């Protein structure tokens, strides 16, 4: 394996400080992007969706649990399918205790198209305690662009509640969601990286097919 070059502690510090300049630039760029995101317009949700949740049938406003903001992860779970998305599962494994979000008047929840009867056993298997709602039998997924003729997709939506009115303020998918997961960001700090072929990695480092190593957390064989 082609490992990084070995240098003195002093030379390592010089190289680290050189990279730190670029990292600080990226941090300021992310701050500026977040500031722009906070200035996005929003769109009112006109449709009355009804979800099947841990406490029974509820509307979208109820998913807020009385808080002002709501973050929804659209978990890919096709009704009747025996396959559950490994990528979505890895993302949920990365989510921390919701109390910290709740303290900022924000609720975090999962919504999938599969019925609760299929969601609950898998949720128990994974040991997840976040509220998970089913949109089965509603137009929620297709109207939000998560289900189409091409199949199921995933994403993350942000909502704001103003009295009885609910607004959608943000949406991201693909690598926009991936950047929120600590497994990926932690691997990006390592010399071997994610070990996938798309990465710009020095020759001689391990690389494999993207996504092929992803598993449900109780399916890894060591």
């Amino acid at each position: 394996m082609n490992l990084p070059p070995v240098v003195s502690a002093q030379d390592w510090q010089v190289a680290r400080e050189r990279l730190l300049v670029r990292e600080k630039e990226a941090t300021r760029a992310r701050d500026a992007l977040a500031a722009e995101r906070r200035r996005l317009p929003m769109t009112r949700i006109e449709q009355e969706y009804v979800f099947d949740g841990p406490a029974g049938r509820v509307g979208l406003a109820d998913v807020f649990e009385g808080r002002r903001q709501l973050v929804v992860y659209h978990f890919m779970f096709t009704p009747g399918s025996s396959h559950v998305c490994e990528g979505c599962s890895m993302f949920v494994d990365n989510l921390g205790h919701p109390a910290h979000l709740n303290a900022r008047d924000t609720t975090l929840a999962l919504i999938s198209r599969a019925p609760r009867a299929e969601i609950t056993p898998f949720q128990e298997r994974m040991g997840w305690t976040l509220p998970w709602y089913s949109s089965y039998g509603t137009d929620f997924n297709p109207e939000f662009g998560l289900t189409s003729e091409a199949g199921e997709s995933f994403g993350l939506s942000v909502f704001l509640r103003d009295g009885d009115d609910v607004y959608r303020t943000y949406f991201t998918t693909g690598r926009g969601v991936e950047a929120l997961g600590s497994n990926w960001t932690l691997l990006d700090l390592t010399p071997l990286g994610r070990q996938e072929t798309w990465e710009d990695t020095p020759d001689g480092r391990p690389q494999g097919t993207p996504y092929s190593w992803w598993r449900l957390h109780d399916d890894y064989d060591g």
Side-chain angles (χ1 to χ4, degrees):
M1 187 186 302
N2 177 19
L3 298 178
V6 178
V7 299
S8 68
Q10 292 80 6
D11 288 344
W12 178 87
Q13 188 63 40
V14 169
R16 171 70 192 103
E17 290 177 359
R18 186 183 305 120
L19 179 63
L20 183 60
V21 173
R22 298 287 302 279
E23 289 181 332
K24 287 183 178 295
E25 290 174 353
T27 297
R28 287 190 289 269
R30 286 195 299 270
D31 289 343
L33 191 60
E36 186 173 351
R37 188 180 296 119
R38 288 190 290 272
R39 289 164 172 80
L40 279 173
M42 59 188 186
T43 183
R44 189 175 185 273
I45 306 301
E46 305 288 351
Q47 180 73 18
E48 294 290 337
Y49 300 105
V50 178
F51 305 99
D52 190 5
R57 307 282 283 179
V58 298
L60 181 57
D62 301 307
V63 180
F64 283 74
E65 298 180 345
R67 300 184 181 93
R68 189 74 182 270
Q69 300 186 126
L70 170 66
V71 177
V72 167
Y73 182 71
H74 304 276
F75 193 112
M76 288 174 58
F77 203 151
T78 304
S81 174
S82 60
H83 176 262
V84 182
C85 176
E86 294 88 352
C88 291
S89 300
M90 190 187 300
F91 177 78
V92 176
D93 278 335
N94 278 255
L95 298 175
H97 199 289
H100 307 292
L101 290 174
N102 296 166
R104 304 313 295 164
D105 209 13
T106 302
T107 296
L108 176 62
L110 313 177
I111 296 181
S112 295
R113 200 161 64 90
R116 281 284 299 174
E118 296 175 21
I119 289 173
T120 301
F122 181 70
Q123 184 174 15
E124 292 174 350
R125 171 186 166 184
M126 294 290 99
W128 299 331
T129 58
L130 282 174
W132 196 344
Y133 298 86
S134 167
S135 63
Y136 184 74
T138 76
D139 294 327
F140 180 77
N141 261 47
E143 289 183 357
F144 276 72
L146 282 308
T147 300
S148 66
E149 293 182 358
E152 297 284 318
S153 185
F154 65 96
L156 184 141
S157 290
V158 178
F159 300 91
L160 180 70
R161 184 176 61 84
D162 184 21
D164 294 330
D165 295 327
V166 174
Y167 302 87
R168 193 186 196 191
T169 66
Y170 182 69
F171 175 76
T172 189
T173 187
R175 297 196 63 196
V177 172
E178 172 191 291
L180 307 175
S182 59
N183 283 338
W184 297 283
T185 51
L186 287 172
L187 287 172
D188 285 344
L189 302 179
T190 68
L192 301 186
R194 306 184 194 190
Q195 302 166 51
E196 296 182 343
T197 52
W198 64 270
E199 293 178 290
D200 181 0
T201 298
D203 292 339
R205 305 280 172 90
Q207 288 186 299
T209 304
Y211 319 126
S212 63
W213 60 276
W214 296 4
R215 302 285 187 277
L216 302 181
H217 63 233
D218 59 357
D219 276 346
Y220 286 101
D221 60 7

